[in-house]
Amino acid sequence: MTTSPGRRSSTFTRLLRHGFTDPSAAEQLLDLDALASVRSDPVLLEALGATADPDLALRGLVRVVEAGEESERQVLLDTLVTAKPLRDRLLGVLGASEALGDHLARHPRDWRALVTYESADLHPGVAEFEQGLADAVDPDSLRVAYRRCLLTLAARDVCGTTGLAQTAAELADLATATLRAALAIARTAAPEDAAQCRLAVVAMGKCGGRELNYVSDVDVIFVGEAHDGVDETKAMQAATRLAAHMMRICSETTVEGTIWEVDANLRPEGRNGPLVRTLSSHLAYYQRWAKTWEFQALLKARAVAGDPELGAEYVEAVSPLVWGAADRENFVPDVQKMRRRVVDNIPADRIERELKLGPGGLRDVEFAVQLLQLVHGRSDASLHSGSTLEALRALADGGYVGRADAAQLDEAYRFLRAMEHRIQLHRLRRTHLVPEDEADLRRIGRSLGMRTDPVAELNKAWKRHASVVRRLHEKIFYRPLLDAVAQLAPGESRLSPKAAAIRLEALGYADPAAALRHLEALSSGVSRKAAIQRTLLPVLLGWFADSADPDAGLLGFRKVSDALGKTPWYLRLLRDEGAAAENLARVLSAGRLAPDLLMRAPEAVAILGDPEGLRPRTREHLEQEVLAAVGRAGDAESAVAVVRGVRRRELFRTTAADLIGSYGTEDSPAEQDHGALVDRVGSAVTDLNAATIAGALRAAVRERWGDTLPTRFAVIGMGRFGGHELSYGSDADVLFVHRPREGVSDEEAGRAANAVVGEMRRLLQLPTADPPLLIDADLRPEGRTGPMVRTLKSYEAYYRRWSLVWESQALLRAEHMAGDEELGRAFVELVDPLRYPMEGLGEDAVREIRRLKARMESERMPRGADPTLHAKLGRGGLSDVEWTVQLMQMRHGWAEPGLRTTRTREALAAACAAGLIPAEDAQTLDEAWVLAARVRNAVMLVRGRPGDTFPSDARELAAVGRYLGYEPGHVGDMLDDYRRITRRARAVVEERFYGAAG
């Protein structure tokens, strides 16, 4: 047939507009005589253009039309033009599935099956599919009937009549009907075998969960029993023959293709085990030999074919084993390792295209959901579903997964499964790889409704959903809380009041009745908040009990929960984010300081869920924040209130990190670097106090003078402040120095400097809920009787004329902390010759230092204090070590640069490196200093107020012991160890400080 050039050009343009990628080939097909009666109908082109692949749909249509007889052909074409539902279904299938087009070309009358389901509301189940397969009497006729049923199912799918979940359920129902038909054919072929045994077919995997793919192995387990009077061995042999025959019927490939593989490898012992077992044999295996993954697989077990009573007995018998699997030792880590192994075994060249097994793939969703089901399903039967999406919905309803997370997982899972369906539907091949060919990607994208730029839109959506899945999988699948819930004894994950009271007493709660009231207040009711609390509390009770004061931990948790209970992120944080719940339990039950800080601003609990949240912030970041806050504030008092709030929050961050780092890690206490922990606390508190003082200084200046004070002003840190060795309860020892600006008189500058100091101290000690910061300037020249602030020249004159040896020793810790940096550096340069005197100290100065130390030991020790247990002034305590190190600094600092540091441990290490002290002695002093510093920190953390001696209260003493790494009942060992370590240190001090070796 000849076509004019004008008509050809017009048709070519129309074909391009309707989505054809090969208009020339399409034009030739439309010109065939077979389509003569419809090619001019505009409706046909519109319908073809609406398909996933118009070129494929047209080729398929031509093949179907040409394969039919003349009369059949005309009926098809007439119906195609006049009946839109049939047209959409037939062309939709032909545009999405080359394999189903092949089937229709072999069986051209099967298009009539698409007329059967005119109603969009009609969704066939097993019974309807059984009816569709009823005429199958041999394997080939079963394959043909199966494809005919699949044709109707696919038509509803590609036309959008069914959603993803319904399509997957229908595929499983069709598989169920097919297994039954195949078993019936096998029974007919071997009636003598059928007469000897009962045989049940139990679907596993996606078929068992009614979420099957278009092409997937159908996983099954066979259960057999002998009929009455039949030898069991013979019955099992007969059942095995029937099962094997049924598998061959479904799995063998002929001209009609393959239905799908029937895979029985999930049975006990896998391929090496018998194909059919009795129910008792199954149970014996599961109770004695089964591995964790086998119980995970049984979660989806569903009787589908054969003897229904036997199948139901099997499912009922294995169900308690499935929902008790999480009680197995290392259950959660085993499941997590299995998922990692799957990913590790994917070939590198395929991992980016693996839609099922790769990171962010379908298996990530399925494993996460199944793990949550198995852990929480022990006590919540609403989670007992074989369907991934139904289980995910139940997990969200029960509060085990956040609603937003569940919604995102649901959306991503549906999208990825829809992609998988479209990939498999094309050639009806079992694959989970995203194709690389652009034509394939275009067809998949268009089939999912992406028409503007199908390939780009598909890739973008796929990567977005995969990224969401991977993020949520890592968050949910590896959450620490999950393993903790799994480790609860059976029955503990949902406690009745009576069981809770018994467990509270067994865990060591001093007041079980009060604890029970807290539990009831937190978890009673039907709210989502109460549901999540019921998941959290059984685990938290154990974590609280792993402390010296579990009652205080539970009470603190109730207070925090009462304060934040209406905040949507709080319980979600504890359930979902890293180790937040365990961290909170450790912090709340370890003493008073951290909970007190948290109660003043409970939202700071968010710090515990951030992987970086426990890392101390640098002084630069802190100063930026506080100075910015001061700049935004309306007056000095409100400015410093914000600054003190920042200090409170950061103190909580530091105390939480300290508590968790001290005994909340996997390391045993002996393996932890306690010195590093002490240094981190000292540096963090020092930086925080320095930033706080900088903020108060800026606020005081802005309130009265605006941006510029009439005199340059600097704050010099002294004592432990200058040494970066502050403990939680330390004051900030400082000196104030100023230098008048050009054109400003000394009197005006002095008034301004003193006014600033007074205002700073007032602002930092205003009564508020935030802890005050006390500024101590008693180390200034002339002590308390001397001026609060001096000019740099005044300091120079004083030190040149009046300085005493103790003042030179105090200046060893001098370091600029806030204010004018240039002025601060000038002060440090001024005092360097005093603290590191050329040629070292003279003998008179050494004797004076020793005399002062001896006097301090006799006069400043509190009355009644045990000198062997006083961390600051006692034997081998902080003062002993620090004076010994400082004496070496003053004697040798002029010659050894490493000694010119304000930090005790750094100076001690430098002295050892320079050969000024043997390594063994240096180690002894360092160990004692670190231990004494930890004791002071522990006392403040436990009691909420500073102290230099061990508490007398037994519970507080036990809490100090837990912080120091001692198990309950070993406080005596702690005191003995402290005395032993400090006694050894005192012996070194006697020799190095008082003796000739010093």
Side-chain angles (χ1 to χ4, degrees), residues 943-956:
R943 304 182 69 192
R945 59 182 187 273
D948 293 315
T949 61
F950 288 90
S952 56
D953 178 82
R955 189 172 287 271
E956 292 179 346

Side-chain angles (χ1 to χ4, degrees), residues 213-525:
N213 297 331
Y214 273 101
V215 187
S216 174
D217 289 353
V218 172
D219 296 309
V220 299
I221 283 178
F222 296 106
V223 188
E225 295 289 349
H227 276 307
D228 291 341
V230 178
D231 177 74
E232 184 177 286
T233 301
K234 290 182 178 180
M236 289 302 98
Q237 290 170 347
T240 300
R241 288 191 293 270
L242 287 174
H245 190 184
M246 187 202 81
M247 293 174 67
R248 287 195 302 274
I249 291 171
C250 297
S251 304
E252 285 180 347
T253 302
T254 70
V255 67
E256 296 296 344
T258 303
I259 298 177
W260 16 248
E261 291 286 334
V262 177
D263 189 342
N265 289 334
L266 292 179
R267 66 186 185 269
E269 300 180 78
R271 295 181 181 180
N272 298 321
L275 184 63
V276 183
R277 286 178 184 257
T278 62
L279 177 56
S280 59
S281 176
H282 276 283
L283 293 177
Y285 172 85
Y286 290 132
Q287 290 166 351
R288 187 171 184 183
W289 304 109
K291 297 181 174 61
T292 295
W293 68 265
E294 294 179 274
F295 295 107
Q296 185 179 352
L298 284 169
L299 187 152
K300 295 180 180 291
R302 181 172 62 93
V304 293
D307 190 303
E309 292 182 2
L310 179 58
E313 287 179 37
Y314 174 88
V315 173
E316 184 180 356
V318 300
S319 181
L321 302 177
V322 172
W323 301 111
D327 298 330
R328 295 164 64 91
E329 188 176 357
N330 297 321
F331 170 77
V332 171
D334 283 349
V335 177
Q336 292 169 341
K337 287 177 186 175
M338 183 165 59
R339 175 64 189 126
R340 284 192 291 266
R341 277 198 302 272
V342 170
V343 175
D344 292 342
N345 289 331
I346 301 173
D349 60 338
R350 295 176 54 175
I351 194 167
E352 293 298 324
R353 298 190 295 126
E354 220 345 310
L355 195 63
K356 177 182 178 182
L357 302 178
L362 293 162
R363 193 55 61 84
D364 270 356
V365 181
E366 292 160 358
F367 260 60
V369 169
Q370 289 167 22
L371 183 57
L372 288 169
Q373 283 183 272
L374 290 167
V375 169
H376 297 296
R378 296 178 298 170
S379 55
D380 188 345
S382 70
L383 305 181
H384 296 188
S385 171
S387 163
T388 300
L389 292 176
E390 288 180 7
L392 181 58
R393 192 178 310 116
L395 287 165
D397 291 343
Y400 305 102
V401 176
R403 287 195 182 99
D405 290 349
Q408 286 186 296
L409 277 179
D410 184 285
E411 180 187 7
Y413 187 73
R414 289 176 189 273
F415 179 84
L416 296 174
R417 285 296 305 275
M419 266 188 79
E420 181 183 44
H421 279 186
R422 296 300 188 267
I423 291 169
Q424 294 182 348
L425 181 59
H426 182 219
R427 290 193 174 91
L428 289 181
R429 291 179 182 169
R430 182 177 180 270
T431 179
H432 310 287
L433 287 180
V434 178
E436 296 177 295
D437 184 76
E438 188 162 321
D440 288 330
L441 294 173
R442 180 176 183 272
R443 183 187 65 258
I444 297 167
R446 283 173 59 89
S447 75
L448 296 174
M450 303 168 182
R451 297 303 171 95
T452 305
D453 187 353
V455 176
E457 291 175 52
L458 176 68
N459 281 321
K460 182 178 179 181
W462 171 33
K463 297 304 180 186
R464 175 172 62 84
H465 284 300
S467 175
V468 167
V469 168
R470 193 58 184 170
R471 175 177 62 81
L472 293 177
H473 173 82
E474 294 288 342
K475 170 182 172 180
I476 295 170
F477 194 63
Y478 295 104
R479 63 166 66 147
L481 183 65
L482 203 56
D483 194 23
V485 173
Q487 291 181 31
L488 292 173
E492 288 185 352
S493 57
R494 281 290 187 274
L495 295 177
S496 66
K498 181 178 180 181
I502 295 172
R503 185 169 184 234
L504 289 168
E505 191 169 347
L507 286 172
Y509 285 77
D511 189 349
L516 191 58
R517 289 195 295 272
H518 297 323
L519 291 180
E520 291 171 347
L522 287 164
S523 61
S524 61

Side-chain angles (χ1 to χ4, degrees), residues 194-210:
Q196 295 187 67
C197 65
R198 300 165 64 198
L199 177 65
V201 184
V202 178
M204 305 285 282
K206 284 186 166 60
C207 185
R210 295 189 75 237

Side-chain angles (χ1 to χ4, degrees), residues 155 176 214 682 757 879:
T176 296
Y214 273 101
V757 169
S879 179

Side-chain angles (χ1 to χ4, degrees), residues 627-884:
L627 295 180
V630 170
R632 292 189 298 267
D635 57 64
E637 289 193 5
S638 59
V640 173
V642 175
V643 172
R644 289 175 65 179
V646 172
R647 180 171 179 265
R648 178 202 60 236
R649 181 197 70 207
E650 295 304 318
L651 273 176
F652 174 72
R653 188 192 308 275
T654 303
T655 56
D658 188 16
L659 290 167
I660 294 164
S662 291
Y663 61 84
T665 69
E666 295 180 357
D667 296 333
S668 68
E671 293 171 333
Q672 294 177 30
D673 186 348
H674 294 143
L677 291 174
V678 168
D679 290 345
R680 185 170 67 179
V681 170
S683 293
V685 177
T686 297
D687 289 345
L688 179 54
N689 285 355
T692 303
I693 290 172
L697 174 59
R698 177 70 62 86
V701 171
R702 286 182 74 247
E703 182 80 354
R704 182 168 172 182
W705 294 279
D707 292 332
T708 306
L709 189 67
T711 185
R712 296 183 182 280
F713 185 89
V715 181
I716 308 299
M718 300 288 284
R720 286 190 168 77
F721 187 27
H724 297 258
E725 297 165 353
L726 288 178
S727 60
Y728 297 116
S730 299
D731 297 344
D733 291 317
V734 298
L735 299 178
F736 300 111
V737 56
H738 76 104
R739 182 161 58 191
R741 296 185 185 276
E742 189 173 348
V744 177
S745 68
D746 288 350
E747 291 76 9
E748 181 185 356
R751 286 195 299 272
N754 278 285
V756 163
V757 169
E759 180 67 357
M760 283 173 57
R761 300 181 78 182
R762 183 186 76 84
L763 292 170
L764 289 172
Q765 296 178 50
L766 284 173
T768 70
D770 297 315
L773 174 57
L774 301 178
I775 295 179
D776 188 340
D778 288 354
L779 291 177
R780 65 187 183 270
E782 302 178 77
R784 297 180 180 180
T785 61
M788 182 65 67
V789 58
R790 291 174 181 261
T791 64
L792 187 64
K793 287 184 178 179
S794 176
Y795 276 108
E796 181 181 14
Y798 175 86
Y799 286 136
R800 182 176 62 250
R801 187 172 182 182
W802 304 108
S803 177
L804 301 175
V805 68
W806 74 264
E807 292 176 300
S808 296
Q809 183 179 354
L811 289 170
L812 285 168
R813 303 288 195 96
E815 184 174 302
H816 172 255
M817 287 294 172
D820 191 289
E821 288 188 26
E822 182 182 349
L823 179 59
R825 284 195 299 270
F827 180 88
V828 171
E829 291 172 0
L830 168 68
V831 301
D832 270 351
L834 279 79
R835 54 185 180 177
Y836 310 124
M838 186 62 66
E839 302 300 331
L841 291 176
E843 286 304 313
D844 290 345
V846 171
R847 280 193 294 272
E848 176 64 11
I849 289 174
R850 288 170 174 165
R851 187 186 66 80
L852 289 172
K853 175 71 168 67
R855 179 182 171 186
M856 183 186 71
E857 288 179 11
S858 62
E859 295 180 359
R860 295 183 61 185
M861 178 71 70
R863 181 178 298 177
D866 184 348
T868 67
L869 293 175
H870 198 281
K872 180 178 180 180
L873 300 175
R875 182 191 68 188
L878 295 171
S879 179
D880 267 1
V881 177
E882 288 164 1
W883 280 63
T884 302

